[in-house]
Amino acid sequence: MNTRSATAADLDRVLAWTVEAPVSWVDADMYRSEAAERRHRPEWTWIAEDDAGRVVARAVWWGRNDSDLPAVLDCLSVAESVADPVAVAADLLDTAHAAFGTLPMYQIKLATRWADDPRTAAAVLWRREAAYAAGLTHEVQRLQYEWRPADGVPTSSGRLVFSPEPDNAVMLDVFRRVAAGSLDAETRRNLAAVGAESTARKELAFYLDAPGDRSWWRLAYTPDGQLAGLAIPSATPYGPNVGYLGVLPELRGNGYVGDILAEVTRSHAERGATRITATTDLGNAPMAAAFGRAGYRNTEARIVLSVPTVPYADQ
């Protein structure tokens, strides 16, 4: 096999590639659209060719348009004629990772009940095995949600008061406090690996760098002035999303997560949002239930595979 990044001369073959398996994949229109924004690039698109020069595998990574490195593997596929797709795909990932100097996560997007379909389960199996072989051995399953105006804009219960907080040092402290006891798998992993301070700093930096506006952020208080949590309406390159919300450990169990989610939803709706996206871990049942109560619909499932260690150190 000849494994390499794509060139301009490969574009027709890269775009002609199709995937029959019932998993999400990057088709020609999507590739062109993302490439126009520099979120897909030839150097982030890798192919494996057989001895006859035929493309037998393709991997497409995605990254922010201002980034030097990709952030996530969007699409991994191998021709059905290949006898050992795990070996070919793992070699493709290993070679690309060596060139990148990093191991971006791999995100497999699926139908919500994918595990009930044998074809989908088989498609996931070899992709997971290839990712594991290439070092992406940490796995989290997540649920994707979506809100539309027809789902209804939630009204305020009056149980919490929301206030802007311009001081990032204050927000950092609240990020640190709400992380304690979190059911979010990534937060728990970061807390165990590097501690509360670095976990909070990472969250703060991530949302400051996201496309959302810092002025949207709010702290939540009980009517008597006790801090209850935070609401971070945010955005992706594709539109508004829920971002981050949290309740302080000492006030959990009061249903405040629903009040904070409602505030985030109202915030986006007041700015004219026609679609709000959100994700949570499969194992975070309280958050999933809150999305359901707020009118959010579960639109897909995701398997996220990444390196087993967090990529930053305590400071």
Side-chain angles (χ1 to χ4, degrees), residues 29-265:
D29 289 343
M30 182 183 296
Y31 191 96
R32 289 191 185 97
S33 175
E34 294 291 78
E37 300 295 331
R38 300 192 72 246
R39 293 191 286 258
H40 288 328
R41 306 178 197 175
E43 63 268 29
W44 294 350
T45 304
W46 284 67
I47 58 175
E49 299 169 304
D50 62 15
D51 291 340
R54 294 184 292 260
V55 176
V56 295
R58 188 190 74 160
V60 180
W61 279 266
W62 178 98
R64 289 178 48 157
N65 57 15
D66 59 353
S67 177
D68 294 329
L69 293 171
V72 59
L73 175 60
D74 253 358
C75 178
L76 176 64
S77 50
V78 176
E80 293 187 2
S81 59
V82 173
D84 190 349
V86 173
V88 172
D91 178 68
L92 182 61
L93 296 183
D94 280 337
T95 307
H97 290 165
F100 297 150
T102 186
L103 280 68
M105 72 176 70
Y106 175 26
Q107 186 166 257
I108 309 173
K109 299 179 181 180
L110 304 156
T112 55
R113 300 183 62 84
W114 67 269
D116 296 334
D117 176 38
R119 287 187 64 236
T120 308
V124 168
L125 179 62
W126 74 254
R127 286 171 169 85
R128 177 190 277 132
E129 290 180 354
Y132 270 55
L136 303 177
T137 57
H138 179 76
E139 178 173 336
V140 176
Q141 295 193 35
R142 294 179 64 78
L143 301 173
Q144 174 81 4
Y145 288 85
E146 178 181 287
W147 175 93
R148 299 275 186 174
D151 299 315
V153 179
T155 58
S156 172
S157 68
R159 300 199 314 149
L160 293 177
V161 177
F162 294 90
S163 174
E165 175 48 68
D167 191 332
N168 284 338
V170 173
M171 297 302 297
L172 177 65
D173 181 61
V174 182
F175 271 112
R176 179 181 56 77
R177 293 171 64 185
V178 300
S182 173
L183 295 178
D184 180 79
E186 190 68 10
T187 299
R188 294 166 69 92
R189 179 166 72 139
N190 291 337
L191 286 172
V194 299
E197 186 66 23
S198 276
T199 298
R201 289 186 182 279
K202 180 197 177 193
E203 297 287 8
L204 177 65
F206 177 86
Y207 287 104
L208 284 173
D209 197 42
D213 195 310
R214 174 64 175 80
S215 66
W216 302 345
W217 298 14
R218 295 291 185 270
L219 291 183
Y221 296 88
T222 62
D224 62 1
Q226 182 180 5
L227 179 66
L230 78 170
I232 310 291
S234 191
T236 73
Y238 310 102
N241 78 341
V242 168
Y244 189 102
L245 58 86
V247 178
L248 294 182
E250 60 268 29
L251 289 179
R252 289 173 187 158
N254 294 301
Y256 288 144
V257 65
D259 297 287
I260 296 176
L261 176 58
E263 172 67 15
V264 172
T265 306

